[in-house]
Amino acid sequence: MYNLIMYLVWWGVSIAAIFDHKVRMMWRGQRRAFRTLKRNVDPNAKYVWVHAASLGEFEQGRPIIERIRLEHPDYKILLTFFSPSGYEVRKDYQGADIITYLPIDTVTNARRILRTVRPVAAFFIKYEFWYNYLHVLKHRNVPVYSVSSIFRPDQIFFKWYGRQYAHVLKCFTRFFVQNEESRRLLEKIGIHEVEITGDTRFDRVMTIKGLAKQLPIVEAFVKGNSQQSTANDSLPKPKVFVAGSSWPPDEDIFIRYFNEHKDWKLIIAPHVIGEDHLKQILSKLDRKTVRFTQTTPEEAAEAQCLLIDCFGLLSSIYRYGTVAYVGGGFGVGIHNTLEAAVWDMPVIIGPNNKKFDEAQGLMAEGGAFEITDYDSFAALMTRFDQEPEFLSESSRKAGHFVKGQAGATDRILAAVPLK
C-alpha cells in the first residue's frame, strides 16, 4: 500500500509541476539527483548522509554537520532535501560535499542512491520517516539516527490503524528526542533506543549569535540623533520593537499600536519580501519610515520605522531590540522564536504555537508571551512600558532559557560512534 501511494504521489507531483513553479523545481531536482550523485561521489570516500525536509530542519541538522566536519575531516557529507524551500536556499552551503534533492521514496530509488553513495552513517532530522530508504539502510547495516525528533499521541505511529507503518521506526539505530513525552510514546510501542538530548536549534542560535553582523543602518536608526551608542552596553538601550517574520494579520495588530505609541522605534522584517506586501505595510504605517535597501545611515537616524526589504539580516537585527514579535501565530504557525530570545529579549507570539516545544518552554520560563488580539497585545506592551522590572526580568528569563537548553549536539555526537 505504501509503495502504491508513493507512485501516486510521484504522478501527482509530475502533473502539478506543469502548473506550479515550486513543485516544478522539486520535480526537476529529484530527477537530477542521480546525475548529481554519479558525477560527484568519490567512490573511495566515507560519507555521512544528513537528510532534512526543508530549511527549518536543515538549521537543526547544521550543528551536527559542522561538528562532524570539524572533528572528523576524513568524512564527507551528503546533504539531501525534500523541499525547494530548503534546497534552493542552501544549495551552495559550503559545509557539505554534495547537496541534492532526495528522490521520491521508492524501493528502486532507495537502492540506487545507497549503491551510489554507500554511507557509513545517516542522520534524519526531526520528522523524516521514509519507509523504503530506512529499510534499505537497515538491510545494509548502516546506522541511522533520528535527530531532534518529537512524537505526539496523535501521530499515525500510535493509532491502531498505523501500527504496521510504525515498524519503520525500528529501522533507526537510535532516537535523539526533544522531550520525555516522545521517549515515553516510543517506549509504549517497543522502541527503547531513545535518549532525551533536546533540540539542536538551541546550539545553532548560539552560533548564529556569535556570528551576528554589525549593521550600520540599523545602528543609526536605533541611535537616532542622540549621542547614545548601542555598542556601549553600559548605556540604556532605546526602546526598539523588532517584528520578525511577520504576516499581514500580525502587522494589523502591532502597526496599529505603534502608530499610536511613537515613543517606540519599530523595525519590521516581514516573512514575505514582495513588493506588493511591502507597499501594503507602508500604506498602514503612520510614521516616518525608510526601507533598508533604499536609505542611508543619515536618513535612517531621522526615521521612526525601518522596513527590512531583503533577506538574511533578521538574526542580526534582533540584537538591537528591546522587545521582539515573531510572526506566523495567526496563520501558518510561529517562526523562529529562539533567534530573538537568545539576545535576552522577551518574545511575543500569536496563538498558533502549541506544537512548538521551544515556544512552550519559553512561555513557561516567562520569556515569551502569547497574544490573541489587539487588546491583549496593547495590554502586554503597556506593562512592558510601565513596569521596567517586568521587562528586565522577562528579558533575563528569555536569554537564560536558550542558554540553558544548549548542548544537544554534544550529547548526540557523544553517543554516535564515528571514528
Side-chain angles (χ1 to χ4, degrees), residues 288-343:
K288 183 173 182 180
T289 305
V290 292
R291 289 173 56 161
F292 182 86
T293 64
Q294 299 177 8
T295 193
T296 64
E298 293 73 24
E299 291 173 342
E302 300 285 342
Q304 296 173 308
C305 178
L306 178 62
L307 180 58
I308 308 301
D309 54 355
C310 58
F311 290 108
L313 300 180
L314 180 57
S315 60
S316 296
I317 288 171
Y318 280 129
R319 72 187 301 167
Y320 301 102
T322 309
V323 174
Y325 182 99
V326 174
F330 288 92
V332 295
I334 57 170
H335 296 287
N336 193 335
T337 54
L338 302 180
E339 285 187 346
V342 74
W343 292 102

Side-chain angles (χ1 to χ4, degrees), residues 130-240:
W130 295 109
Y131 188 91
N132 291 310
Y133 282 109
L134 287 166
H135 275 87
V136 175
L137 282 163
K138 183 178 181 181
H139 178 73
R140 289 174 173 266
N141 295 314
V142 179
V144 188
Y145 306 98
S146 180
V147 172
S148 295
S149 43
I150 296 179
F151 292 92
R152 299 184 177 88
D154 60 354
Q155 288 174 301
I156 188 172
F157 311 113
F158 312 110
K159 303 293 186 181
W160 64 266
Y161 52 81
R163 289 300 172 88
Q164 187 65 34
Y165 179 64
H167 289 162
V168 71
L169 300 179
K170 295 184 178 180
C171 294
F172 284 95
T173 306
R174 195 163 185 80
F175 286 87
F176 298 107
V177 300
Q178 294 191 30
N179 56 33
E180 171 62 26
E181 182 186 38
S182 297
R183 187 203 63 76
R184 181 180 56 78
L185 287 168
L186 289 171
E187 189 174 62
K188 282 177 66 176
I189 59 172
I191 295 173
H192 304 285
E193 291 298 320
V194 183
E195 185 173 343
I196 303 170
T197 53
D199 190 345
T200 50
R201 278 180 299 177
F202 290 92
D203 299 330
R204 177 62 188 150
V205 296
M206 294 294 290
T207 299
I208 290 171
K209 181 181 181 181
L211 298 173
K213 306 169 185 174
Q214 295 292 128
L215 301 171
I217 286 174
V218 181
E219 289 181 4
F221 168 77
V222 171
K223 180 180 176 181
N225 289 320
S226 72
Q227 296 304 306
Q228 179 172 303
S229 170
T230 59
N232 188 339
D233 291 336
S234 67
L235 295 172
K237 293 173 69 175
K239 294 191 296 185
V240 181

Side-chain angles (χ1 to χ4, degrees), residues 351-391:
N352 188 0
N353 60 61
K354 304 302 182 290
K355 292 187 176 181
F356 299 83
D357 275 25
E358 72 284 0
Q360 297 299 305
L362 263 174
M363 287 193 288
E365 184 78 10
F369 303 87
E370 176 184 301
I371 55 105
T372 56
D373 53 22
Y374 175 80
D375 289 339
S376 57
F377 177 81
L380 179 60
M381 287 303 303
T382 298
R383 191 175 178 194
F384 282 140
D385 234 349
Q386 296 180 357
E387 301 179 31
E389 298 83 4
F390 173 63
L391 174 58

Side-chain angles (χ1 to χ4, degrees), residues 3-231:
N3 288 321
L4 174 61
I5 292 172
M6 284 297 102
Y7 281 110
L8 291 174
V9 168
W10 187 85
W11 282 107
V13 168
S14 301
I15 294 169
I18 300 171
F19 307 99
D20 187 284
H21 175 65
K22 186 175 179 180
V23 176
R24 188 159 55 250
M25 285 194 295
M26 181 177 71
W27 183 70
R28 289 175 175 171
Q30 289 182 353
R31 296 184 70 189
R32 281 197 310 268
F34 294 111
R35 294 198 300 273
T36 300
L37 293 173
K38 187 175 180 179
R39 184 172 61 249
N40 292 292
V41 166
D42 178 352
N44 299 312
K46 296 183 294 184
Y47 282 91
V48 173
W49 177 17
V50 178
H51 175 64
S54 192
L55 189 59
E57 289 78 12
F58 165 76
E59 290 298 322
Q60 288 177 295
R62 186 168 177 169
I64 300 289
I65 294 171
E66 294 180 354
R67 279 284 296 280
I68 291 173
R69 296 282 279 194
L70 179 66
E71 297 178 2
H72 303 279
D74 50 324
Y75 287 88
K76 290 183 179 290
I77 303 292
L78 167 65
L79 173 62
T80 59
F81 289 98
F82 184 77
S83 167
S85 61
Y87 175 81
E88 298 300 332
V89 175
R90 295 301 183 195
K91 61 186 176 183
D92 296 320
Y93 171 59
Q94 296 301 304
D97 298 279
I98 304 174
I99 304 173
T100 184
Y101 281 93
L102 182 69
I104 201 81
D105 183 30
T106 66
V107 175
T108 300
N109 286 344
R111 288 173 176 167
R112 192 175 173 189
I113 279 190
L114 292 168
R115 276 199 304 264
T116 304
V117 181
R118 299 182 183 276
V120 296
F123 294 84
F124 280 32
I125 311 302
K126 200 172 183 178
Y127 293 131
E128 294 302 278
F129 308 114
W130 295 109
Y131 188 91
N132 291 310
Y133 282 109
L134 287 166
H135 275 87
V136 175
L137 282 163
K138 183 178 181 181
H139 178 73
R140 289 174 173 266
N141 295 314
V142 179
V144 188
Y145 306 98
S146 180
V147 172
S148 295
S149 43
I150 296 179
F151 292 92
R152 299 184 177 88
D154 60 354
Q155 288 174 301
I156 188 172
F157 311 113
F158 312 110
K159 303 293 186 181
W160 64 266
Y161 52 81
R163 289 300 172 88
Q164 187 65 34
Y165 179 64
H167 289 162
V168 71
L169 300 179
K170 295 184 178 180
C171 294
F172 284 95
T173 306
R174 195 163 185 80
F175 286 87
F176 298 107
V177 300
Q178 294 191 30
N179 56 33
E180 171 62 26
E181 182 186 38
S182 297
R183 187 203 63 76
R184 181 180 56 78
L185 287 168
L186 289 171
E187 189 174 62
K188 282 177 66 176
I189 59 172
I191 295 173
H192 304 285
E193 291 298 320
V194 183
E195 185 173 343
I196 303 170
T197 53
D199 190 345
T200 50
R201 278 180 299 177
F202 290 92
D203 299 330
R204 177 62 188 150
V205 296
M206 294 294 290
T207 299
I208 290 171
K209 181 181 181 181
L211 298 173
K213 306 169 185 174
Q214 295 292 128
L215 301 171
I217 286 174
V218 181
E219 289 181 4
F221 168 77
V222 171
K223 180 180 176 181
N225 289 320
S226 72
Q227 296 304 306
Q228 179 172 303
S229 170
T230 59

Side-chain angles (χ1 to χ4, degrees), residues 268-302:
I268 306 174
H271 183 73
V272 177
I273 309 291
E275 198 60 31
D276 288 344
H277 187 201
L278 295 172
K279 288 179 179 177
Q280 184 185 77
I281 293 171
L282 289 167
S283 72
K284 296 175 183 177
L285 285 161
D286 182 24
R287 311 188 66 173
K288 183 173 182 180
T289 305
V290 292
R291 289 173 56 161
F292 182 86
T293 64
Q294 299 177 8
T295 193
T296 64
E298 293 73 24
E299 291 173 342
E302 300 285 342

